[in-house]
Amino acid sequence: AQALLLKPGPLRFPAASAMLRCLLLSSLALRVSCAAQCQGCSAEHQMLQKRARVGKTVGSSLYPPGTGQLQPVEGRCDSDRVPLGSRCTGCPPTFNGKPCASTSRYFDVTKAACGCSEPHLNFQEDPSELWWPFVHHTAALNCANNNPSEPTQSWCPTGCGQCFRLCSTGGHINSNKTDHAEGSCSVFKITNNCADGYPHRPGDPQTDWCSQNISFADCASDPAACQAKGNTNMFGYPAHFDLMDLHGQITDIIGWDNAEVTFEQVECDPHFVGPSWDCQCQESAQNISSHLGSVTY
């Protein structure tokens, strides 16, 4: 599919214009065509793919063609593009001893890959914009980390319901905002899956946030494999969090615009500010250490 490159800066729509926003986000979303990904798939499977993907990276600001294709920086994971203002070093990249990730923003209102919709309405496909996943701090995690054993699983990935503390490094990736304060932290719950560009095929240009071919745990345990192009995303990060920003909770409240962050998995209770898990998919029971590998924070 032809990717649409958006100019720097957040893309926002009036909260009242739900139908207009839905149409615009469906047409503007930077994603690989569901039809291209699902040739020969059942109609149900295509719907699951769409549910997990629509709206991804709409808030992102990407380089126009012919720019940002920088030479690899020594010591960084090999990638087609380099962050404009990274404070992370090494491969896998770290900051103050913690692993680094990229972030973007999205706005789509569906029950998504984890089935987060109103139970009393039989988990309808299009929940209210005021349902908790669209109001609180939630995120879509890149598929190689969200379901390491089967990244192509688009419905009920094993990472549903996990919580991660994201803290800004003070760096920025590809936006005009250069004043992200270091140490601004919040806990996000995983309610969706990001598979944009997965899997990355050798020789193809890197154009996506969530195309990492291996998990962060594999990156951490085998830095040489992590160094290979395609095993991190287009900016060289082994993990990516696409943050729900329907009500401006990221841009207006935290003040992030594709901020560079560190991440660590934490227990949702008591760290996550929001209701208990009530989505269709089972809440993750993945062990923190087994998911992230033998990494010391």
Side-chain angles (χ1 to χ4, degrees):
Q2 180 66 38
L4 178 64
L5 300 177
L6 304 180
K7 295 181 179 179
L11 179 64
R12 303 297 306 281
F13 300 100
S17 305
M19 182 60 71
L20 176 60
R21 181 176 58 253
C22 180
L23 293 173
L24 287 172
L25 294 182
S26 296
S27 62
L28 292 180
L30 172 60
R31 64 190 188 277
V32 177
S33 165
C34 290
Q37 290 287 311
C38 296
Q39 289 181 357
C41 299
S42 66
E44 179 183 6
H45 183 67
Q46 291 191 36
M47 173 56 72
L48 296 182
Q49 289 282 350
K50 176 179 180 294
R51 178 186 298 150
R53 301 175 59 81
V54 64
K56 287 291 174 289
T57 68
V58 169
S60 309
S61 44
L62 301 181
Y63 295 107
T67 64
Q69 307 296 326
L70 305 178
Q71 294 298 315
V73 173
E74 185 176 357
R76 286 190 58 87
C77 302
D78 194 3
S79 58
D80 277 354
R81 301 177 183 183
V82 176
L84 293 176
S86 175
R87 301 189 67 187
C88 300
T89 59
C91 182
T94 61
F95 179 74
N96 290 340
K98 293 184 178 181
C100 295
S102 50
T103 67
S104 57
R105 295 165 286 115
Y106 80 112
F107 311 88
D108 65 296
V109 184
T110 70
K111 65 181 180 180
C114 296
C116 294
S117 184
E118 299 103 323
H120 62 283
L121 296 176
N122 296 318
F123 298 102
Q124 61 183 354
E125 186 67 34
D126 301 305
S128 164
E129 291 186 3
L130 297 180
W131 194 239
W132 69 265
F134 314 119
V135 176
H136 294 279
H137 287 173
T138 62
L141 179 61
N142 72 289
C143 59
N145 287 311
N146 211 9
N147 205 56
S149 62
E150 193 176 350
T152 57
Q153 180 177 322
S154 58
W155 174 244
C156 291
T158 56
C160 287
Q162 294 181 105
C163 287
F164 290 87
R165 178 181 288 112
L166 306 184
C167 295
S168 57
T169 67
H172 64 289
I173 299 170
N174 67 334
S175 72
N176 288 331
K177 184 176 176 60
T178 60
D179 59 347
H180 295 105
E182 178 185 338
S184 173
C185 302
S186 189
V187 172
F188 290 80
K189 181 170 284 192
I190 303 303
T191 58
N192 204 350
N193 191 55
C194 181
D196 294 345
Y198 181 86
H200 178 262
R201 293 173 174 79
D204 287 352
Q206 290 181 295
T207 59
D208 291 290
W209 294 106
C210 298
S211 59
Q212 297 92 331
N213 281 342
I214 65 176
S215 68
F216 169 74
D218 289 339
C219 250
S221 63
D222 189 351
C226 197
Q227 181 67 45
K229 184 178 290 187
N231 287 341
T232 57
N233 68 10
M234 62 182 173
F235 288 105
Y237 294 94
H240 181 76
F241 294 85
D242 203 7
L243 311 178
M244 172 54 67
D245 195 29
L246 182 65
H247 298 287
Q249 56 264 55
I250 306 304
T251 49
D252 296 341
I253 305 302
I254 303 181
W256 290 356
D257 182 4
N258 295 5
E260 178 184 71
V261 298
T262 60
F263 67 99
E264 57 183 321
Q265 191 174 359
V266 297
E267 298 293 341
C268 292
D269 185 15
H271 300 292
F272 174 68
V273 178
S276 300
W277 189 255
D278 60 358
C279 303
Q280 276 183 287
C281 301
Q282 184 174 353
E283 185 176 16
S284 175
Q286 285 187 127
N287 180 271
I288 292 175
S289 60
S290 65
H291 179 63
L292 294 183
S294 55
V295 178
T296 301
Y297 294 116

CSV table of all heavy atoms in Angstrom, one decimal, residues 208-244:
chain,number,residue,atom,x,y,z
A,208,ASP,N,8.2,1.8,8.8
A,208,ASP,CA,7.1,1.6,9.8
A,208,ASP,C,7.7,1.6,11.2
A,208,ASP,O,8.9,1.2,11.4
A,208,ASP,CB,6.4,0.3,9.5
A,208,ASP,CG,5.5,0.4,8.3
A,208,ASP,OD1,4.5,1.2,8.3
A,208,ASP,OD2,5.9,-0.2,7.3
A,209,TRP,N,6.8,1.9,12.1
A,209,TRP,CA,7.2,1.9,13.6
A,209,TRP,C,7.2,0.5,14.2
A,209,TRP,O,8.0,0.2,15.1
A,209,TRP,CB,6.1,2.7,14.4
A,209,TRP,CG,6.1,4.1,14.1
A,209,TRP,CD1,5.1,4.8,13.4
A,209,TRP,CD2,7.0,5.1,14.6
A,209,TRP,NE1,5.3,6.1,13.4
A,209,TRP,CE2,6.5,6.4,14.1
A,209,TRP,CE3,8.1,5.1,15.3
A,209,TRP,CZ2,7.1,7.6,14.4
A,209,TRP,CZ3,8.8,6.3,15.6
A,209,TRP,CH2,8.3,7.5,15.1
A,210,CYS,N,6.4,-0.4,13.7
A,210,CYS,CA,6.1,-1.7,14.4
A,210,CYS,C,6.6,-2.9,13.6
A,210,CYS,O,6.0,-4.0,13.6
A,210,CYS,CB,4.7,-1.9,14.7
A,210,CYS,SG,4.1,-0.6,15.9
A,211,SER,N,7.7,-2.7,12.8
A,211,SER,CA,8.2,-3.7,11.9
A,211,SER,C,9.3,-4.6,12.5
A,211,SER,O,9.9,-5.4,11.8
A,211,SER,CB,8.7,-3.1,10.6
A,211,SER,OG,9.7,-2.2,10.9
A,212,GLN,N,9.5,-4.5,13.8
A,212,GLN,CA,10.6,-5.2,14.4
A,212,GLN,C,10.4,-6.7,14.2
A,212,GLN,O,9.3,-7.3,14.5
A,212,GLN,CB,10.6,-5.0,15.9
A,212,GLN,CG,11.0,-3.5,16.3
A,212,GLN,CD,9.8,-2.6,16.5
A,212,GLN,OE1,8.7,-2.9,15.8
A,212,GLN,NE2,9.9,-1.6,17.3
A,213,ASN,N,11.4,-7.4,13.7
A,213,ASN,CA,11.3,-8.8,13.4
A,213,ASN,C,11.5,-9.7,14.6
A,213,ASN,O,11.1,-10.9,14.6
A,213,ASN,CB,12.3,-9.3,12.3
A,213,ASN,CG,11.8,-8.9,10.9
A,213,ASN,OD1,10.6,-8.6,10.7
A,213,ASN,ND2,12.7,-8.9,9.9
A,214,ILE,N,12.1,-9.2,15.6
A,214,ILE,CA,12.3,-10.0,16.8
A,214,ILE,C,11.9,-9.2,18.1
A,214,ILE,O,11.7,-8.0,18.0
A,214,ILE,CB,13.8,-10.4,17.0
A,214,ILE,CG1,14.7,-9.2,17.2
A,214,ILE,CG2,14.3,-11.2,15.8
A,214,ILE,CD1,16.2,-9.6,17.4
A,215,SER,N,11.7,-9.9,19.1
A,215,SER,CA,11.2,-9.2,20.4
A,215,SER,C,12.4,-8.5,21.1
A,215,SER,O,13.6,-8.7,20.8
A,215,SER,CB,10.7,-10.3,21.3
A,215,SER,OG,11.7,-11.1,21.8
A,216,PHE,N,12.0,-7.7,22.0
A,216,PHE,CA,13.0,-7.0,22.8
A,216,PHE,C,13.9,-8.0,23.6
A,216,PHE,O,15.1,-7.8,23.8
A,216,PHE,CB,12.4,-6.0,23.8
A,216,PHE,CG,13.4,-5.4,24.8
A,216,PHE,CD1,14.4,-4.6,24.4
A,216,PHE,CD2,13.4,-5.9,26.1
A,216,PHE,CE1,15.3,-4.1,25.3
A,216,PHE,CE2,14.3,-5.4,27.0
A,216,PHE,CZ,15.3,-4.5,26.6
A,217,ALA,N,13.2,-9.0,24.1
A,217,ALA,CA,13.9,-10.0,24.9
A,217,ALA,C,15.0,-10.7,24.0
A,217,ALA,O,16.1,-10.9,24.5
A,217,ALA,CB,12.9,-11.1,25.4
A,218,ASP,N,14.7,-11.0,22.8
A,218,ASP,CA,15.7,-11.5,21.9
A,218,ASP,C,16.8,-10.5,21.6
A,218,ASP,O,18.0,-10.9,21.4
A,218,ASP,CB,15.0,-12.0,20.6
A,218,ASP,CG,14.2,-13.2,20.8
A,218,ASP,OD1,14.4,-14.0,21.8
A,218,ASP,OD2,13.3,-13.5,19.9
A,219,CYS,N,16.4,-9.3,21.4
A,219,CYS,CA,17.4,-8.2,21.2
A,219,CYS,C,18.4,-8.1,22.4
A,219,CYS,O,19.6,-8.0,22.2
A,219,CYS,CB,16.7,-6.9,21.0
A,219,CYS,SG,16.8,-6.2,19.3
A,220,ALA,N,17.8,-8.2,23.6
A,220,ALA,CA,18.7,-8.0,24.8
A,220,ALA,C,19.6,-9.2,24.9
A,220,ALA,O,20.7,-9.0,25.4
A,220,ALA,CB,17.8,-7.8,26.0
A,221,SER,N,19.1,-10.4,24.6
A,221,SER,CA,19.9,-11.6,24.8
A,221,SER,C,20.9,-11.8,23.7
A,221,SER,O,21.9,-12.6,23.8
A,221,SER,CB,19.0,-12.8,24.9
A,221,SER,OG,18.3,-13.1,23.7
A,222,ASP,N,20.7,-11.2,22.5
A,222,ASP,CA,21.6,-11.3,21.4
A,222,ASP,C,21.8,-10.0,20.7
A,222,ASP,O,21.2,-9.7,19.6
A,222,ASP,CB,21.0,-12.4,20.4
A,222,ASP,CG,22.0,-12.8,19.3
A,222,ASP,OD1,23.0,-12.1,19.2
A,222,ASP,OD2,21.7,-13.7,18.5
A,223,PRO,N,22.7,-9.1,21.2
A,223,PRO,CA,22.9,-7.8,20.7
A,223,PRO,C,23.3,-7.8,19.2
A,223,PRO,O,23.0,-6.9,18.4
A,223,PRO,CB,23.9,-7.2,21.6
A,223,PRO,CG,23.8,-7.9,22.9
A,223,PRO,CD,23.4,-9.3,22.5
A,224,ALA,N,24.0,-8.9,18.8
A,224,ALA,CA,24.5,-9.0,17.4
A,224,ALA,C,23.3,-9.1,16.5
A,224,ALA,O,23.2,-8.5,15.4
A,224,ALA,CB,25.4,-10.1,17.2
A,225,ALA,N,22.3,-9.9,16.9
A,225,ALA,CA,21.1,-10.1,16.1
A,225,ALA,C,20.3,-8.8,16.1
A,225,ALA,O,19.7,-8.4,15.1
A,225,ALA,CB,20.2,-11.2,16.6
A,226,CYS,N,20.3,-8.1,17.2
A,226,CYS,CA,19.6,-6.8,17.4
A,226,CYS,C,20.2,-5.8,16.4
A,226,CYS,O,19.4,-4.9,15.9
A,226,CYS,CB,19.7,-6.3,18.8
A,226,CYS,SG,18.5,-5.0,19.3
A,227,GLN,N,21.4,-5.9,16.1
A,227,GLN,CA,22.1,-4.9,15.3
A,227,GLN,C,21.7,-5.0,13.8
A,227,GLN,O,21.8,-4.1,13.1
A,227,GLN,CB,23.6,-5.1,15.4
A,227,GLN,CG,24.5,-4.2,14.5
A,227,GLN,CD,24.4,-2.7,15.0
A,227,GLN,OE1,24.5,-2.5,16.2
A,227,GLN,NE2,24.2,-1.8,14.1
A,228,ALA,N,21.2,-6.2,13.4
A,228,ALA,CA,20.9,-6.4,12.0
A,228,ALA,C,19.6,-5.6,11.6
A,228,ALA,O,18.6,-5.5,12.3
A,228,ALA,CB,20.6,-7.9,11.8
A,229,LYS,N,19.7,-4.9,10.5
A,229,LYS,CA,18.6,-4.1,10.0
A,229,LYS,C,17.4,-5.0,9.8
A,229,LYS,O,17.4,-6.1,9.3
A,229,LYS,CB,19.0,-3.5,8.7
A,229,LYS,CG,17.9,-2.5,8.1
A,229,LYS,CD,18.3,-1.8,6.8
A,229,LYS,CE,19.4,-0.8,7.1
A,229,LYS,NZ,19.7,0.0,5.8
A,230,GLY,N,16.3,-4.4,10.3
A,230,GLY,CA,15.0,-5.1,10.2
A,230,GLY,C,14.6,-5.7,11.6
A,230,GLY,O,13.4,-6.0,11.8
A,231,ASN,N,15.5,-6.0,12.5
A,231,ASN,CA,15.2,-6.5,13.8
A,231,ASN,C,14.8,-5.4,14.8
A,231,ASN,O,14.3,-5.7,15.8
A,231,ASN,CB,16.4,-7.4,14.3
A,231,ASN,CG,16.5,-8.7,13.6
A,231,ASN,OD1,15.5,-9.1,12.9
A,231,ASN,ND2,17.6,-9.3,13.6
A,232,THR,N,15.1,-4.2,14.4
A,232,THR,CA,14.5,-3.0,15.1
A,232,THR,C,13.7,-2.2,14.1
A,232,THR,O,13.7,-2.6,12.9
A,232,THR,CB,15.6,-2.1,15.7
A,232,THR,OG1,16.5,-1.7,14.7
A,232,THR,CG2,16.4,-2.9,16.8
A,233,ASN,N,13.0,-1.2,14.5
A,233,ASN,CA,12.1,-0.5,13.6
A,233,ASN,C,12.9,0.5,12.8
A,233,ASN,O,14.2,0.6,12.8
A,233,ASN,CB,10.9,0.2,14.3
A,233,ASN,CG,11.3,1.3,15.3
A,233,ASN,OD1,12.4,1.8,15.3
A,233,ASN,ND2,10.3,1.7,16.1
A,234,MET,N,12.2,1.4,12.0
A,234,MET,CA,12.9,2.3,11.1
A,234,MET,C,13.8,3.3,11.8
A,234,MET,O,14.7,3.9,11.1
A,234,MET,CB,11.9,3.0,10.2
A,234,MET,CG,10.9,3.9,11.0
A,234,MET,SD,9.7,4.7,9.9
A,234,MET,CE,8.6,5.5,11.0
A,235,PHE,N,13.6,3.5,13.1
A,235,PHE,CA,14.5,4.4,13.8
A,235,PHE,C,15.5,3.7,14.8
A,235,PHE,O,16.1,4.3,15.6
A,235,PHE,CB,13.7,5.4,14.6
A,235,PHE,CG,13.0,6.5,13.8
A,235,PHE,CD1,11.7,6.4,13.5
A,235,PHE,CD2,13.7,7.5,13.2
A,235,PHE,CE1,11.0,7.3,12.7
A,235,PHE,CE2,13.1,8.5,12.4
A,235,PHE,CZ,11.8,8.4,12.1
A,236,GLY,N,15.5,2.3,14.7
A,236,GLY,CA,16.4,1.6,15.5
A,236,GLY,C,16.0,1.2,16.9
A,236,GLY,O,16.8,0.9,17.7
A,237,TYR,N,14.7,1.2,17.1
A,237,TYR,CA,14.2,0.9,18.5
A,237,TYR,C,13.6,-0.6,18.5
A,237,TYR,O,12.8,-0.9,17.6
A,237,TYR,CB,13.1,1.8,18.9
A,237,TYR,CG,13.6,3.2,19.2
A,237,TYR,CD1,13.6,4.2,18.1
A,237,TYR,CD2,14.2,3.6,20.4
A,237,TYR,CE1,14.0,5.5,18.3
A,237,TYR,CE2,14.7,4.9,20.6
A,237,TYR,CZ,14.6,5.8,19.5
A,237,TYR,OH,15.1,7.1,19.7
A,238,PRO,N,13.9,-1.4,19.5
A,238,PRO,CA,13.4,-2.7,19.5
A,238,PRO,C,12.0,-2.8,20.1
A,238,PRO,O,11.4,-3.9,20.1
A,238,PRO,CB,14.4,-3.5,20.5
A,238,PRO,CG,14.8,-2.4,21.4
A,238,PRO,CD,14.9,-1.1,20.5
A,239,ALA,N,11.4,-1.7,20.5
A,239,ALA,CA,10.0,-1.7,21.0
A,239,ALA,C,9.4,-0.4,20.6
A,239,ALA,O,10.0,0.7,20.5
A,239,ALA,CB,10.0,-1.8,22.6
A,240,HIS,N,8.1,-0.5,20.4
A,240,HIS,CA,7.3,0.7,20.0
A,240,HIS,C,6.0,0.7,20.7
A,240,HIS,O,5.3,-0.3,20.7
A,240,HIS,CB,7.1,0.8,18.5
A,240,HIS,CG,6.4,2.1,18.1
A,240,HIS,ND1,6.9,3.3,18.1
A,240,HIS,CD2,5.0,2.3,17.8
A,240,HIS,CE1,6.1,4.2,17.7
A,240,HIS,NE2,4.9,3.6,17.6
A,241,PHE,N,5.6,1.9,21.2
A,241,PHE,CA,4.3,2.1,21.9
A,241,PHE,C,3.5,3.1,21.1
A,241,PHE,O,3.9,4.3,21.1
A,241,PHE,CB,4.5,2.5,23.4
A,241,PHE,CG,5.1,1.4,24.2
A,241,PHE,CD1,6.5,1.3,24.3
A,241,PHE,CD2,4.4,0.6,25.0
A,241,PHE,CE1,7.1,0.4,25.1
A,241,PHE,CE2,5.0,-0.4,25.8
A,241,PHE,CZ,6.4,-0.5,25.8
A,242,ASP,N,2.4,2.7,20.6
A,242,ASP,CA,1.5,3.7,19.9
A,242,ASP,C,0.4,4.1,20.9
A,242,ASP,O,-0.4,3.3,21.4
A,242,ASP,CB,0.8,3.0,18.7
A,242,ASP,CG,0.3,3.9,17.6
A,242,ASP,OD1,0.6,5.1,17.8
A,242,ASP,OD2,-0.3,3.5,16.7
A,243,LEU,N,0.4,5.3,21.3
A,243,LEU,CA,-0.3,5.8,22.5
A,243,LEU,C,-1.7,6.4,22.1
A,243,LEU,O,-1.8,7.2,21.2
A,243,LEU,CB,0.5,6.9,23.2
A,243,LEU,CG,1.9,6.5,23.5
A,243,LEU,CD1,2.6,7.7,24.2
A,243,LEU,CD2,2.0,5.2,24.4
A,244,MET,N,-2.7,5.9,22.8
A,244,MET,CA,-4.1,6.5,22.5
A,244,MET,C,-4.1,7.9,22.9
A,244,MET,O,-3.8,8.3,24.1
A,244,MET,CB,-5.1,5.7,23.3
A,244,MET,CG,-6.5,6.2,23.3
A,244,MET,SD,-7.2,6.5,21.6
A,244,MET,CE,-7.4,4.8,21.1
